[in-house]
């Protein structure tokens, strides 16, 4: 059974930092591209950051320079370090594991962790 379990969310003041974690089980973690998404109330889901199996990273423009995605394959965990947080970063953050071997696609999601940025 595949599980992705996010943790590390919470309430933080503007300008503060949080580090989210997503622990995976039931998959060959090192083979998967890992993605962080977020969804704020009343808004569409938004891609935050991606890290491929070889460690290449990509970020949404609004997160560049503030957020950093990393992975530890020995721990089957992906991280999202979030700095200089703003109220508009408030959302539920989900991790997503994707593996494509055409024509197959394996796609798994966590339940999410709430991040609230407020004074």
């Amino acid at each position: 059974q595949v599980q992705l379990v996010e943790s590390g969310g919470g309430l933080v003041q503007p300008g503060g930092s949080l580090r989210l974690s997503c622990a995976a089980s039931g998959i060959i973690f090192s083979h998967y591209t890992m993605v962080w998404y977020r969804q704020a109330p009343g808004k569409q889901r938004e891609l935050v950051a991606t890290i491929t199996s070889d460690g290449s990273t990509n970020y949404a423009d609004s997160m560049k320079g503030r957020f950093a995605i990393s992975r530890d394959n020995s721990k089957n965990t992906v991280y999202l370090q979030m700095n200089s947080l703003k109220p508009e970063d408030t959302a539920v953050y989900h991790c997503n594991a994707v593996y494509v071997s055409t024509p197959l696609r394996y796609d798994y999601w966590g339940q999410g962790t709430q991040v609230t940025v407020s004074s």
Side-chain angles (χ1 to χ4, degrees):
Q1 181 181 0
V2 178
Q3 282 193 314
L4 299 178
V5 180
E6 300 97 333
S7 61
L11 174 63
V12 62
Q13 291 187 342
S17 298
L18 282 175
R19 188 176 83 150
L20 306 183
S21 300
C22 172
S25 60
I27 60 173
I28 303 174
F29 180 79
S30 61
H31 291 186
Y32 280 70
T33 290
M34 300 301 296
V35 189
W36 284 99
Y37 288 90
R38 69 185 186 186
Q39 188 162 21
K43 294 189 177 181
Q44 289 190 330
R45 187 174 63 199
E46 177 183 24
L47 186 144
V48 175
T50 301
I51 186 165
T52 63
S53 58
D54 65 1
S56 298
T57 59
N58 193 32
Y59 299 90
D61 287 343
S62 62
M63 287 68 157
K64 287 180 181 177
R66 298 192 300 126
F67 290 9
I69 189 171
S70 61
R71 66 190 297 158
D72 185 340
N73 289 340
S74 69
K75 295 181 179 180
N76 288 357
T77 300
V78 61
Y79 304 97
L80 184 69
Q81 178 67 44
M82 305 187 295
N83 301 323
S84 302
L85 283 163
K86 306 174 182 179
E88 51 264 42
D89 293 319
T90 295
V92 177
Y93 285 71
H94 296 268
C95 72
N96 170 231
V98 181
Y99 176 70
V100 177
S101 179
T102 305
L104 302 176
R105 179 185 174 99
Y106 300 91
D107 201 347
Y108 303 104
W109 291 85
Q111 292 296 310
T113 185
Q114 175 71 47
V115 171
T116 302
V117 184
S118 175
S119 55

